[in-house]
Amino acid sequence: MSAPKLSDLARVLGLNIATVSRALRNDPRVKLGTRQRIFEEAERQGYRPNVAARALAEGRTRTIWFVIPDLEIAIAREPAWHASDFLLAKGYDLLLAQHHNDEAVLGRILERASRGGADGAILLPDPWPRGLTSVDWKSFRLPFVFLDRRLEGALEAPVVTSDNAGIAYSLVVRLVVGVEGPRPDLVVNGFSLLHKNSAEVARQSGVSAACHDLKVREFRGEGTPANCRKALVLASSEEEAMGIFRRLGWEAPVDFGVFDAWRSSPLPGCRVLVAIQNFEAMARSAVDKLLEQLGGADLARKTPNEELIPVREIRELA
């Protein structure tokens, strides 16, 4: 037996097709009692709507793609979870797409999305955007927003990120000024410009500004650091911070400042501050900006097109 069609439902119910179609979309223009009768008949007949045909007719898929390097990137999971919640509340579904740092795959994903596969996209670039530097962003007409950082060549696209410079500045101040006993007299700025990563660049500038204002020596990794009574190492992660510590081989006390997580026990006598980014607020803002574009707003013409989200908290580990 062939699957029932919308016209079959309308004929059995004695209603026109337009009314049945509206009711199945839960359109309030159809009386509640009529909608209930239509739902019951659709369930009885096993009717399933043709989603592709509906999307074509409406010009909307009601889906947003969350485009990420891969699921191994820890930063991808929490924003995706929050973005999915916010979009569901707005009547959209969130789908994950992974490009694995392959420029051809990313281009194919965006092309398919822009050809009717999605209404818009939230893009979270890899911290190390290898092979993604020549994507022709202007060729894609799909509304999109960058999350956490942007890729080169898409400077006009909106981006929602942490206030990376301000957070890094605060870490230095709290670890240099707000300390009992000897304060660090050398700050290791471990945010590498080699990554060509907008978040890392901002963090490095925040550390440099704090060192300048506090009149503390800054070491960026060039040459050999001078002797110090106490050092401070700033980096994006525990792994990077500890890598710097081991490479320099100091015997002097060392404090650390990192972003998001420190999973092992701090070294004896060391202070560790962890800046916890507010991924929930970032995801909410990215969703809002994307839906604004879907509503007709031209965010690329707005200034500034970068929103900086304050840190959720700075946590000191015992």
Side-chain angles (χ1 to χ4, degrees), residues 66 78-88 94 122 283-284 287:
F66 193 73
E78 187 177 347
W81 180 56
H82 290 302
S84 180
D85 271 355
F86 299 143
L87 285 165
L88 283 172
L94 184 73
I122 299 172
R284 182 186 296 277
V287 166

Side-chain angles (χ1 to χ4, degrees), residues 150-183:
R150 69 168 78 249
L151 287 177
E152 292 182 31
L155 297 180
E156 294 182 353
V159 59
V160 179
T161 184
S162 292
D163 180 12
N164 289 292
I167 296 168
Y169 188 102
S170 297
L171 285 172
V172 175
V173 171
R174 288 185 56 169
L175 284 163
V176 171
V177 176
V179 60
E180 296 181 3
R183 63 182 245 176

Side-chain angles (χ1 to χ4, degrees), residues 35-317:
R35 274 184 277 159
Q36 185 63 38
R37 186 161 64 94
I38 293 171
F39 288 144
E40 290 173 356
E41 183 62 28
E43 181 69 22
R44 190 185 69 78
Q45 292 196 30
Y47 172 77
R48 295 292 181 269
N50 186 326
V51 176
R54 177 176 293 178
L56 183 63
E58 296 179 352
R60 290 287 175 90
T61 66
R62 307 299 293 182
T63 62
I64 301 298
W65 287 10
F66 193 73
V67 183
I68 61 176
D70 55 62
L71 287 171
E72 291 183 357
I73 304 296
I75 192 178
R77 294 190 284 271
E78 187 177 347
W81 180 56
H82 290 302
S84 180
D85 271 355
F86 299 143
L87 285 165
L88 283 172
K90 300 287 187 179
Y92 288 83
D93 294 317
L94 184 73
L95 304 180
L96 287 179
Q98 303 177 75
H99 56 73
H100 304 287
N101 289 309
D102 186 316
E103 189 172 90
V105 174
L106 176 60
R108 188 165 65 245
I109 287 171
L110 294 177
E111 182 178 7
R112 287 176 176 172
S114 63
R115 287 179 179 271
D119 295 339
I122 299 172
L123 291 93
L124 195 155
D126 191 287
W128 301 273
R130 297 153 290 192
L132 302 181
T133 58
S134 60
V135 175
D136 183 10
W137 295 102
K138 293 184 179 179
S139 68
F140 298 107
R141 301 304 176 190
L142 186 74
F144 66 91
V145 176
F146 283 117
L147 188 70
D148 191 56
R149 61 188 75 90
R150 69 168 78 249
L151 287 177
E152 292 182 31
L155 297 180
E156 294 182 353
V159 59
V160 179
T161 184
S162 292
D163 180 12
N164 289 292
I167 296 168
Y169 188 102
S170 297
L171 285 172
V172 175
V173 171
R174 288 185 56 169
L175 284 163
V176 171
V177 176
V179 60
E180 296 181 3
R183 63 182 245 176
D185 59 338
L186 180 68
V187 173
V188 180
N189 195 337
F191 301 112
S192 174
L193 288 174
L194 296 176
H195 292 176
K196 299 293 184 183
N197 170 329
S198 60
E200 294 269 322
V201 171
R203 291 170 186 178
Q204 187 171 61
S205 68
V207 172
S208 295
C211 290
H212 176 271
D213 293 347
L214 298 174
K215 297 180 172 54
V216 182
R217 291 180 298 163
E218 178 188 8
F219 176 63
R220 289 196 179 190
E222 302 91 355
T224 303
N227 292 330
C228 62
R229 297 186 308 275
K230 186 177 184 180
L232 168 59
V233 175
L234 282 299
S236 285
S237 68
E238 175 187 359
E239 293 75 16
E240 292 177 0
M242 290 304 298
I244 292 169
F245 171 73
R246 296 188 191 99
R247 187 168 65 250
L248 295 175
W250 275 315
E251 295 183 0
V254 180
D255 290 340
F256 297 92
V258 299
F259 279 68
D260 297 322
W262 186 285
R263 294 178 176 82
S264 59
S265 299
L267 297 174
C270 295
R271 289 182 75 200
V272 175
L273 292 189
V274 182
I276 310 297
Q277 298 182 83
N278 195 337
F279 293 124
E280 180 177 3
M282 290 167 64
R284 182 186 296 277
S285 179
V287 166
D288 287 345
K289 288 182 181 298
L290 188 59
L291 295 184
E292 282 183 47
Q293 290 185 76
L294 292 174
D298 186 359
L299 297 187
R301 297 182 180 277
K302 294 184 178 182
T303 54
N305 64 349
E306 181 175 73
E307 182 171 357
L308 304 180
I309 304 297
V311 67
R312 193 176 74 193
E313 65 173 305
I314 294 180
R315 185 180 302 163
E316 180 166 1
L317 303 185

